Every structure is written in structure tokens, then in C-alpha cells.
Amino acid sequence: MERINKYIASCGVCSRRKADELVLSGKVVVNEKVVQELGYKVNDTDVVKVNGKIIHKEANNIYIMLNKPKGYITTSKEQFGRKSVMDLIKEKERVYPIGRLDMYTEGLLLLTNDGEFSNKLMHPTNKIEKTYIVTTTSNITDKQIEMLKSGVDIGGYITREAKVRALSSTQIEIIISEGKNRQVRKMCSSVGIKVTNLKRIKVGNIELGDLPVGKYRYLTEKEKSMI
Ligand code: URA
């Protein structure tokens, strides 16, 4: 027996948190009955439907690292006329991006069909660090770096402390452990840094390394255990 949200996540549908929302909004049906109780428990013989579709546990969990190119959106839904990271993944198992990189950001994107793994990485309480390289055209000052480190206002939200260091006069490394929408771009903009390139190179201890742009590989057992 396991909680309904854990079951839905392990079927690769979404994170546990999203699963709770689905339950509360009456989108989850177990053995033909709508279930809206968060702690509801199911077992493997129960027939669980989400949004009218029967869901199954994934027999084969796969874990992928993609070097996302610029110009691709991160979504598992089809969006007409836009290039999606899903176009780059040639797997028979359906995988889902873990979090997002915005359209013009490149670099490390993880994808999986393991909702539990995704949940662990995404859950704010786990404070998984994400490392980005920001490139700009003008000189970055020590003052700007100090402001980014201590937290800045990105439109009504003060960012938590970040690790920031200069790599050159026009390039910095920023490590954040939260993931607000377009956070790094907004942080830079709030201190007057105009981002010309943004690349994610690390999530937790998993590093992009020299994976070519647009290519993907499977995570190693060691990398999977790092999360
Ligand atoms: N911060 C951004 O601004 N964009 C991303 O894609 C990720 C973090």
C-alpha cells in the first residue's frame, strides 16, 4: 500500500505535490470512484485514473542528461511551431523534464520518467544547488557580486543567499538553491547586469562536463545516487 500521491509520482505522471493538487481537484479516480482524500492508500491491483487515463508504474525508469541548446522550450506538451527539448530525445519511454530552463538558456537539463526522483530534485526543502554561468558584455563590479550574494528583489521576492564568484571581468558563476521563474536573469537584471548568455553547468553534484550541445546521455549509477 502506498499513498496516492507517491503512486501517481512513481507512474511518472508528475511530482507528489502536483499529484496532491490533482487529487484535491477531483481528477483522480481509483476503481471508478473519485478520490479527494490526500492520505488515500492504493496498492498495485487498484486501477488508478488521472484525468480519465489509466496510469501504470514505469517498468523501466530512465534518467537522462541533455545539453539543451538555446531556442528550445522546456515542455513536455506540444506547442505548435516551437522547438521543444522533447524533439531531441529519441527514447521509447516517455520522459519529462525536471524543472525548466527558459528558451534562451542552454545547458544541463535532466529528464526522467521517475516521479520520485524528479520530486526529490525539485522539492524546495531539499535546496538542491544549481550552478549557472552568466556572460555579459560590460564589466561586472564587486558591488554587483556582493548584492547578488546577499539577495536581491526580483519583483516582490527577495532571493536567498547565493554563491557568486567572478570567472572573468564579464563572466560570473552563480549558485542558487531555489528555482523561481527566470531567477538568474531577474537577479542579474535587478543589479544592472545585462545577460548575453546563460548556461547551467551543474545540478546538485551532477555536472554537464563536455556533453555536446543538443546531445544527451544516461546518468550513471553514481550520478543517480548523488540526488
Ligand atoms: N534562471 C533563469 O533566468 N533562467 C533559467 O532558465 C534558469 C534559471
Side-chain angles (χ1 to χ4, degrees):
M1 298 282 269
E2 67 187 314
R3 282 171 75 100
I4 187 75
N5 62 353
K6 189 159 183 247
Y7 182 88
I8 294 172
S10 65
C11 291
V13 176
C14 57
S15 67
R16 272 200 233 178
R17 210 143 47 106
K18 281 263 152 51
D20 281 341
E21 288 169 19
L22 289 169
V23 171
L24 290 175
S25 60
K27 303 278 171 51
V28 177
V29 170
V30 180
N31 304 330
E32 301 302 329
K33 280 210 187 93
V34 174
V35 164
Q36 283 180 290
E37 183 196 326
L38 290 181
Y40 192 88
K41 294 219 165 106
V42 289
N43 61 42
D44 287 344
T45 59
D46 288 327
V47 178
V48 181
K49 283 187 194 166
V50 174
N51 287 323
K53 271 202 206 136
I54 297 182
I55 58 168
H56 299 279
K57 288 237 179 189
E58 301 286 342
N60 292 320
N61 281 333
I62 53 173
Y63 306 85
I64 284 173
M65 173 197 291
L66 169 72
N67 188 349
K68 176 194 171 300
K70 285 184 205 168
Y72 281 74
I73 55 166
T74 308
T75 179
S76 48
K77 294 200 194 83
E78 298 224 344
Q79 289 205 5
F80 185 72
R82 305 185 95 184
K83 288 188 283 185
S84 155
V85 292
M86 303 312 291
D87 305 337
L88 301 168
I89 308 292
K90 308 286 176 221
E91 292 291 320
K92 57 177 201 310
E93 311 285 342
R94 184 114 166 73
V95 291
Y96 301 87
I98 306 178
R100 286 185 179 216
L101 285 180
D102 65 58
M103 173 129 156
Y104 294 106
T105 300
E106 57 183 347
L108 199 170
L109 181 70
L110 299 174
L111 302 101
T112 186
N113 54 0
D114 178 346
E116 277 299 285
F117 185 81
S118 186
N119 195 41
K120 261 200 231 162
L121 268 165
M122 299 274 292
H123 206 282
T125 55
N126 291 338
K127 297 195 179 126
I128 302 281
E129 290 188 332
K130 283 147 285 193
T131 306
Y132 296 86
I133 306 289
V134 173
T135 309
T136 181
T137 45
S138 46
N139 284 348
I140 300 167
T141 64
D142 290 346
K143 172 123 191 283
Q144 285 170 319
I145 291 179
E146 286 313 311
M147 284 161 77
L148 289 171
K149 273 189 188 169
S150 53
V152 291
D153 187 339
I154 53 165
Y157 177 80
I158 310 290
T159 56
R160 282 207 292 260
E161 281 184 13
K163 296 177 189 162
V164 186
R165 67 186 178 107
L167 301 176
S168 74
S169 60
T170 56
Q171 210 171 47
I172 47 173
E173 179 190 82
I174 300 190
I175 304 177
I176 55 172
S177 55
E178 49 192 344
K180 301 286 172 203
N181 187 32
R182 298 171 67 84
Q183 178 163 341
V184 175
R185 289 180 190 275
K186 287 180 185 165
M187 286 170 72
C188 289
S189 154
S190 83
V191 300
I193 295 173
K194 198 164 167 278
V195 176
T196 52
N197 198 68
L198 182 59
K199 180 175 184 176
R200 182 158 71 188
I201 56 162
K202 202 167 166 189
V203 171
N205 284 319
I206 301 178
E207 294 193 61
L208 182 63
D210 55 8
L211 185 65
V213 177
K215 299 282 182 218
Y216 70 90
R217 68 166 175 83
Y218 299 115
L219 293 190
T220 62
E221 288 304 318
K222 189 164 170 225
E223 285 170 330
K224 279 189 259 172
S225 68
M226 283 173 176
I227 297 299

